[in-house]
Amino acid sequence: MQKCKFTIWTTADNQTSVFEGEGEMSLAREEVRICYREENAFVRLRVQGESAQIFREGDYSLRLDLKRGETLEGSLGLGDGQGKLQTFTHKVNYSLSKDSLLLLLEYDLLFGEEKQKMKLRLLARQVEDSYED
């Protein structure tokens, strides 16, 4: 895993928020992994081909399994409660270079008859360790 800086643009029902941070990433053709900390959580993201997994542990927990063209089950936990959550995935696209990743995920969160359209765009770049004398 290499240190990285990233920006994530998350759009939920046409409302976009931006999160910038630092974490670690591993870029390989067969699997991409990114791990980072938020204020109250630790997040892991893994992408393989047309599939992605998002894991969040902290003030709430989240597990999303995404595979293009499929409806899959995940989970959402608040406090001591744990519930099931389904997703339908429209896109899992990414582009790799030697030291950067551009990722686009488009999916629907399904709550019975209701759905929330989600789009996650992530740009991550490897950073070199800098040492001060």
Side-chain angles (χ1 to χ4, degrees), residues 7-25:
T7 304
I8 299 173
W9 295 266
T10 304
T11 304
D13 292 332
N14 297 316
Q15 297 290 325
T16 302
S17 62
V18 180
F19 177 71
E20 295 180 328
E22 296 181 3
E24 294 183 331
M25 69 179 180

Side-chain angles (χ1 to χ4, degrees), residues 39 41 70 102 104 106 113:
E39 184 176 340
E70 293 190 21
L102 178 60
L104 175 63
E106 290 185 14
E113 297 298 314

Side-chain angles (χ1 to χ4, degrees), residues 7-129:
T7 304
I8 299 173
W9 295 266
T10 304
T11 304
D13 292 332
N14 297 316
Q15 297 290 325
T16 302
S17 62
V18 180
F19 177 71
E20 295 180 328
E22 296 181 3
E24 294 183 331
M25 69 179 180
S26 172
L27 303 178
R29 182 184 302 249
E30 44 303 317
E31 181 180 79
V32 173
R33 290 182 293 150
I34 293 186
C35 302
Y36 63 91
R37 292 199 177 280
E38 292 180 351
E39 184 176 340
N40 295 311
F42 179 71
V43 179
R44 293 177 290 136
L45 173 67
R46 187 173 83 185
V47 182
Q48 295 176 291
E50 295 185 334
S51 299
Q53 293 178 311
I54 301 170
F55 300 96
R56 184 184 194 282
E57 300 166 345
D59 52 351
Y60 69 90
S61 65
L62 177 71
R63 190 196 87 223
L64 295 180
D65 292 311
L66 307 170
K67 186 169 185 178
R68 190 176 72 80
E70 293 190 21
T71 300
L72 298 175
E73 191 170 279
S75 64
L76 175 64
L78 297 168
D80 293 333
Q82 186 88 359
K84 294 182 184 201
L85 179 66
Q86 288 191 322
T87 57
F88 177 80
T89 305
H90 299 280
K91 290 183 184 178
V92 176
N93 294 337
Y94 63 97
S95 175
L96 294 175
S97 74
K98 182 180 73 149
D99 60 357
S100 67
L101 165 70
L102 178 60
L103 170 68
L104 175 63
L105 302 175
E106 290 185 14
Y107 57 94
D108 297 332
L109 293 175
L110 306 173
F111 308 99
E113 297 298 314
E114 300 290 319
K115 71 179 175 182
Q116 182 176 39
K117 292 189 169 295
M118 301 293 298
K119 184 186 291 186
L120 183 144
R121 192 170 142 237
L122 179 142
L123 175 61
R125 288 194 168 93
Q126 182 178 325
V127 294
E128 297 296 322
D129 290 330

